[in-house]
Amino acid sequence: MRRVTFMPDNRTTEAKSGVTLLDVARSSRVSIRTRCEGKAGCLMCKVQVTGEGISAPTAAERQKLGIEASTGLRLACQAKVASSGGCDLIVTIPEDPLKAAVRRQLQQQEDDNLW
Ligand code: FES
């Protein structure tokens, strides 16, 4: 078992080795958007992983993400929790563009009200 923390929700769970980050997120009720349902086709499940207890990038990830070595950028549907090595994992999910726009608008209104 390995501890996996999803950011920005800051939700931590225990995950078995061999399970994809997408499945770990779903079992923890953390939302990661997908369209291809885990077939490495939509690239919507991109996450940034910090920590070494994760499988090496698959050929599909290297091809789709244009990476040669692990940069921490992974497809949650392909990256699996590793059984050995490394420490706890921190998985950062990019903010949904719509949520980001709403958050910026609310922040702007709040800033305007201060003056
Ligand atoms: S779910 Fe589509 S690429 Fe991962």
Side-chain angles (χ1 to χ4, degrees):
M1 298 291 265
R2 184 174 303 277
R3 285 170 46 105
V4 179
T5 300
F6 291 97
M7 300 301 283
D9 289 0
N10 197 20
R11 192 170 299 170
T12 300
T13 187
E14 298 279 331
K16 290 182 184 175
S17 63
V19 179
T20 67
L21 293 178
L22 182 61
D23 287 338
V24 174
R26 286 179 171 165
S27 67
S28 304
R29 298 180 185 231
V30 172
S31 176
I32 296 179
R33 297 185 318 145
T34 71
R35 196 167 282 157
C36 73
E37 290 302 319
K39 297 183 177 83
C42 68
L43 306 183
M44 293 178 72
C45 67
K46 278 189 274 188
V47 294
Q48 186 72 36
V49 178
T50 305
E52 297 173 359
I54 192 80
S55 64
T58 64
E61 286 181 282
R62 290 195 304 271
Q63 180 189 7
K64 302 263 180 177
L65 298 175
I67 56 173
E68 286 301 319
S70 180
T71 60
L73 183 64
R74 303 296 303 268
L75 294 177
C77 67
Q78 302 296 302
K80 294 179 178 173
V81 176
S83 59
S84 61
C87 50
D88 295 348
L89 295 171
I90 298 173
V91 179
T92 303
I93 302 166
E95 189 172 28
D96 180 285
L98 182 59
K99 277 186 183 174
V102 169
R103 184 182 48 72
R104 280 194 303 272
Q105 187 71 32
L106 290 172
Q107 183 65 45
Q108 182 65 44
Q109 288 175 354
E110 193 173 296
D111 292 347
D112 291 346
N113 289 336
L114 291 177
W115 300 101

